[in-house]
Amino acid sequence: MNDTYATLCLIFTPPPKLTVSYWADNYRILSPEDSAEPGRWNTDRAPYQREIMDAVTDPEIEDVVIMSSAQVGKTAIFLNIIGYYIDYDPAPILCIQPTKEMAESFSKDRLATMIRDCDRLHEKVSDTKSRDSGNTIGHKTFPSGHITMLGANSPTGLSGRPIRIFLADEVDRYPVSAGIEGDPIKLGEKRTATFWNRKKIKFSTPSIKGFSRIEAEYERGTMEQYHLPCPECGHYQPLTWAQIHFETEQHACSRCGSLNDEVLWKYSNPKGKGKWKAQRKAKGIRSFHINELYSPWRRWGEIIKDFHEAKAGGTEELKVWVNTSLGESWEEAGDEIEIKYLEKRREYYDSELPDGTLMLTAGVDVQKDRLEIEVVGWGEGKESWGVDYKAFIGNPAEEDVWEQLDKYLLKNFRYSDGCGLTIACTCVDSGYKTTEVYDFCKPREHRRVFAIKGVEGFGKIFIGNPTRRNRKNTPMFPLGVDTGKELLFSRLKIEHEGAGYCHFPRESDRGYGEQYFKGLTSERLVTRYNKGKKRLVWEKRPGARNEPLDLRNYATAAMEIVNPDFEKLKNMRKKESAPIIATRRRQISRGVSL
């Protein structure tokens, strides 16, 4: 009787209340393709992850927001949450990635390997090779639930059937609207409305302050930071970049000022363990911020080194470092360059091509009465030299002006030693006189003379995939011009010669006078409001002509299309010039006048 009663109790006793971290510690196996530390998962490896995961299973919490740097295990947390719901609390799940391609990659490279290596998942999710499995790259079924993986640019999928668990990854990379349907996050969240126990979980590294989706979500929640006790005085505090001492690679206590290395702060702290502290109260929303200083996979010395390299690389690289290492949004100072600042930087070249130049590209703009062109030289680290800026006067509807351009594009520009370069790639704007541009570019495709078309909008990729959807079957590259302008302005602010620095000639016959610099600085990045929403726009100064800015953008795009190996070009240049230098040395030794 007692045995029967005990058996019945076991059968009818509900399963224990599991948290995500408990599930992961007991059942998650890290795949060798997915982790530098394959094997059984251990939350204590990065203890700050525990409370983030367990917030998901808190019945009082509906929204969980994680604003983080890279290299803190964000994707692993994301996968643990999925594994928990497949195995322990099955439900319809929607997982959103920035694009369809990224969603497919996540499914194949991350989710599929986790399912394969975790027995409790593998027995619930059928193999993709099974004919009737209900398991595809974008959709997987399991008992009492399913998971769908979509790109944020997929409006049809986002407005489909109801789901209980909404997972949104890298939300700062989402488009403003999924087609014409509206905000992809709001579309996804609407699908949870019928579930009383719904969960909405959002992850991302932040982007620009005031425009970052994840920062806005973080500020709606509890705004929690992970605090560690000072190894000396025990005062709890977050690890911040301002308290890091570069020389000693140590963190200073914000109260007592004592310096301690990361081993003491993170791993063998005599004063206790870390804990999350909220900055505000928010019903139903927990939001967390974590940066690379806490990561067990990144040493402070490496982060300091990355910072110095990013700072030397200019504003654009520093912005990426702030976003991905500190997990903080980048605050734009208002991109505007003073004309006099650039004019003062002009220098005399010793020949048509300065010595550092390893490749030439060109940008061409089509106007009603002329074609304008800039030739730009490129060197190691994408250091650049303005080589020539000029206009060919004539009606673009007639052949003569195009013939002038064609002859010029074949020009051999010379170094001081007599060696030369021709233009490796040219981008021609097709926004005006489109047919004529295609007619010109089509027979010169083999010379890398390509049509481009500007695509406005902040956050667009600089160079899109070329399309041939035109009557001439000519490759046309869409160009994110606003992104290109942001990149150019960051380089124009670099003060020291080297990677990214922009050189300009002083010689009057090259076209780099006052009008050129007025055009190059003709626009500025400003904040505008549309229906109550902030957006960044490039705004042209009244009366200014912006052709020089556009042309530098196009020439930069031409360089990126070629994607040169500058080290290889440098070696080729050395081999080419070596015999000439040797000849001149022999002539000098014999007293021959050069």
Side-chain angles (χ1 to χ4, degrees), residues 501-515:
Y501 185 83
C502 300
H503 300 260
F504 300 100
R506 188 172 290 278
E507 293 91 338
S508 59
D509 61 343
R510 291 182 183 257
Y512 292 84
E514 182 181 3
Q515 291 305 312

Side-chain angles (χ1 to χ4, degrees), residues 484-535:
K485 290 170 185 175
E486 184 185 6
L487 174 63
L488 172 59
F489 271 54
S490 70
R491 289 175 175 168
L492 290 174
K493 292 175 181 177
I494 297 175
E495 298 180 354
H496 303 289
E497 294 185 20
Y501 185 83
C502 300
H503 300 260
F504 300 100
R506 188 172 290 278
E507 293 91 338
S508 59
D509 61 343
R510 291 182 183 257
Y512 292 84
E514 182 181 3
Q515 291 305 312
Y516 171 84
F517 289 104
K518 282 184 178 180
L520 190 65
T521 59
S522 59
E523 298 185 19
R524 59 178 181 168
L525 190 61
V526 297
T527 302
R528 291 287 178 261
Y529 290 84
N530 182 22
K531 296 180 181 180
K533 291 186 177 180
K534 290 192 293 185
R535 62 190 183 100

Side-chain angles (χ1 to χ4, degrees), residues 402-581:
W402 292 103
E403 289 175 358
Q404 294 178 57
L405 174 63
D406 185 44
K407 183 178 178 181
Y408 181 79
L409 291 179
L410 293 169
K411 174 180 168 64
N412 194 18
F413 294 82
R414 299 288 181 180
Y415 293 102
S416 59
D417 61 13
C419 296
L421 289 176
T422 55
I423 296 167
C425 184
T426 302
C427 285
V428 185
D429 182 24
S430 64
Y432 177 68
K433 293 294 182 183
T434 305
T435 300
E436 286 80 358
V437 172
Y438 287 167
D439 284 341
F440 180 77
C441 294
K442 178 60 179 178
R444 296 167 180 82
E445 182 180 337
H446 67 285
R447 287 163 45 190
R448 294 200 191 102
V449 178
F450 298 125
I452 59 101
K453 185 174 182 180
V455 180
E456 294 185 347
F458 190 81
K460 302 286 186 182
I461 61 172
F462 185 28
I463 302 167
N465 293 325
T467 176
R468 291 181 181 266
R469 291 195 297 269
N470 54 74
R471 287 182 296 173
K472 301 292 181 180
N473 195 34
T474 303
M476 189 280 292
F477 287 83
L479 192 67
V481 289
D482 292 347
T483 302
K485 290 170 185 175
E486 184 185 6
L487 174 63
L488 172 59
F489 271 54
S490 70
R491 289 175 175 168
L492 290 174
K493 292 175 181 177
I494 297 175
E495 298 180 354
H496 303 289
E497 294 185 20
Y501 185 83
C502 300
H503 300 260
F504 300 100
R506 188 172 290 278
E507 293 91 338
S508 59
D509 61 343
R510 291 182 183 257
Y512 292 84
E514 182 181 3
Q515 291 305 312
Y516 171 84
F517 289 104
K518 282 184 178 180
L520 190 65
T521 59
S522 59
E523 298 185 19
R524 59 178 181 168
L525 190 61
V526 297
T527 302
R528 291 287 178 261
Y529 290 84
N530 182 22
K531 296 180 181 180
K533 291 186 177 180
K534 290 192 293 185
R535 62 190 183 100
L536 288 175
V537 296
W538 287 94
E539 189 175 81
K540 190 165 70 171
R541 289 192 178 103
R545 299 194 66 89
N546 62 352
E547 287 88 350
L549 176 56
D550 288 339
L551 288 176
R552 181 53 72 103
N553 223 354
Y554 304 159
T556 303
M559 182 271 295
E560 294 291 352
I561 289 171
V562 175
N563 189 24
D565 182 339
F566 285 113
E567 186 65 30
K568 183 178 179 180
L569 293 176
K570 184 179 178 181
N571 292 333
M572 290 171 61
R573 167 68 181 141
K574 286 180 180 178
K575 289 180 181 179
E576 184 181 44
S577 62
I580 298 171
I581 295 171

